[in-house]
Amino acid sequence: MKDNQSRIWTFLNKNRWAIGVMILVITLLWGYAWVLMKDALQYMGPFTFSAFRFGTGTLTMIIVLAIMRIGLPPKDKWGHLLVAGILQTSIVFLFVMYGLRFVDAGKSSVLLYSMPIWSSILAAKFLKEKVPRMKMIGLGMGLIGLLTILGWDIWINQNPSIIIGELLIVTAAISWGASNVYYRLKLSDVPQLQVNTYQMLFGTLGIILASIVMEWGDSVQLTGESIYYVLFTGVLASALCFTAWFFLLSLIDMVTTTISTLLVPVFGMFFGWLLLDEKLTISIIIGSVLILSGIIIANVYRGPANRKTYISKHEAESQGG
């Protein structure tokens, strides 16, 4: 499996456009998933939906591993996979889905995708990654774009329940940032298919426990529409996208990877306008332009030192190092 992983890395390194395509597909699917997550709450509770979603995603990944005859991760990695599952899946999606009860879907996606700033801070602290000036400028523009989309209503006329919801979602963003760094520290040498399968498995167990405690006996409507929501978010937005996400984290630097996710709330608001008749205000348009500009600035610059480090690392792995 390491040979397959090495071949994929070599292809992506020689065809840098393919990395951009991966990021575009991931952010498009995640942006669309926000619309489905919001609509799914009319059929079942937020924790129950998350349990169905990630249960479906985990089952999908287990089937993929079985078909590819991929065995279990090394025993010394199970504890790290448990921690990654709690940070990446349990905390992030329990907090986000509960926060959606109080905060609009569009604003929720914007708050969650403050994640790049937390990832960058933690990567600088624990991974000793330096943030070049141009990437810092790109990150700053992206965050200004997020604040522009949020508008002044995040600072004024707030009621306590909305503030609590927003704090939960920001905490989820910090947890996601921490999981990115933890992955790079402890799990980057484990194949991404295994990482995503088992972190999702452990994270799903936490979500199921929460749904039993908080929503046992609540109404669950399984219709064609709600089943579609579960399958799309479970198979595509979870199993596929998070596998690709862990691959990107092992391939390129933390800042470049995470800044690109700022596209998600842009796509989320676009799909909200297209499918849910949500308004596209001038602040959303200006904020989206700032986010896109920040991503372009951050990704145009490629630090030679970081690039050399990643090439050396993966060449060593491909040679059995």
Side-chain angles (χ1 to χ4, degrees):
M1 185 162 60
K2 273 195 171 183
D3 290 341
N4 291 333
Q5 185 171 310
S6 179
R7 282 196 289 269
I8 293 172
W9 184 89
T10 301
F11 170 79
L12 291 173
N13 187 52
K14 290 180 178 179
N15 301 273
R16 304 297 290 184
W17 58 268
I19 294 176
V21 171
M22 282 180 66
I23 290 171
L24 181 62
V25 170
I26 290 171
T27 52
L28 266 171
L29 292 177
W30 278 347
Y32 177 56
W34 275 96
V35 176
L36 305 188
M37 287 162 58
K38 176 181 179 180
D39 216 26
L41 295 181
Q42 65 180 305
Y43 297 102
M44 62 193 77
F47 296 166
T48 302
F49 173 75
S50 295
F52 275 119
R53 169 185 176 175
F54 288 101
T56 301
T58 300
L59 180 60
T60 301
M61 293 302 302
I62 290 173
I63 292 172
V64 169
L65 292 189
I67 292 173
M68 298 181 68
R69 297 182 179 179
I70 297 172
L72 298 174
K75 291 182 179 179
D76 62 332
K77 298 295 183 180
W78 283 87
H80 298 311
L81 288 164
L82 173 61
V83 173
I86 292 171
L87 291 172
Q88 174 73 62
T89 300
S90 296
I91 293 177
V92 172
F93 289 95
L94 285 174
F95 283 26
V96 164
M97 292 304 295
Y98 194 75
L100 276 171
R101 285 183 163 183
F102 311 108
V103 186
D104 291 342
K107 185 186 289 185
S108 298
S109 67
V110 172
L111 289 171
L112 181 63
Y113 287 93
S114 65
M115 176 270 291
I117 188 65
W118 311 115
S119 288
S120 300
I121 292 171
L122 293 169
K125 173 69 175 176
F126 295 103
L127 301 178
K128 309 303 179 186
E129 281 194 5
K130 295 182 178 179
V131 184
R133 181 179 299 175
M134 293 303 292
K135 288 186 181 291
M136 185 63 74
I137 292 173
L139 180 60
M141 288 185 66
L143 292 174
I144 291 171
L146 291 180
L147 292 174
T148 303
I149 290 173
L150 286 172
W152 288 106
D153 59 333
I154 192 174
W155 309 112
I156 59 176
N157 298 325
Q158 293 277 40
N159 65 55
S161 63
I162 292 178
I163 293 173
I164 291 171
E166 290 169 350
L167 288 174
L168 286 173
I169 296 168
V170 171
T171 302
I174 296 171
S175 182
W176 187 0
S179 77
N180 294 336
V181 174
Y182 193 83
Y183 166 79
R184 287 277 295 276
L185 284 171
K186 303 295 185 181
L187 293 166
S188 60
D189 57 338
V190 179
Q192 284 75 27
L193 284 172
Q194 286 183 334
V195 172
N196 194 34
T197 300
Y198 292 97
Q199 73 82 19
M200 196 183 298
L201 172 63
F202 289 129
T204 301
L205 293 176
I207 291 174
I208 290 173
L209 179 61
S211 66
I212 291 173
V213 172
M214 301 293 292
E215 296 175 354
W216 183 261
D218 289 1
S219 173
V220 176
Q221 300 178 47
L222 293 178
T223 66
E225 195 168 14
S226 65
I227 291 172
Y228 166 71
Y229 294 165
V230 169
L231 290 177
F232 184 94
T233 57
V235 177
L236 296 181
S238 300
L240 172 65
C241 286
F242 278 110
T243 298
W245 173 254
F246 285 119
F247 201 95
L248 287 172
L249 285 177
S250 69
L251 183 66
I252 56 180
D253 67 273
M254 185 76 68
V255 178
T256 301
T257 308
T258 55
I259 286 178
S260 301
T261 63
L262 295 174
L263 278 172
V264 176
V266 175
F267 287 136
M269 291 188 176
F270 170 76
F271 285 120
W273 166 77
L274 184 66
L275 302 175
L276 301 178
D277 294 324
E278 294 180 350
K279 292 182 179 180
L280 281 180
T281 64
I282 188 66
S283 64
I284 291 175
I285 295 172
I286 293 173
S288 299
V289 171
L290 286 169
I291 289 171
L292 293 172
S293 301
I295 292 171
I296 292 171
I297 290 171
N299 284 279
V300 164
Y301 177 86
R302 291 185 190 139
N306 281 344
R307 182 174 167 79
K308 184 176 180 181
T309 298
Y310 278 89
I311 291 173
S312 299
K313 171 187 170 185
H314 288 271
E315 282 182 346
E317 287 179 354
S318 67
Q319 295 168 6

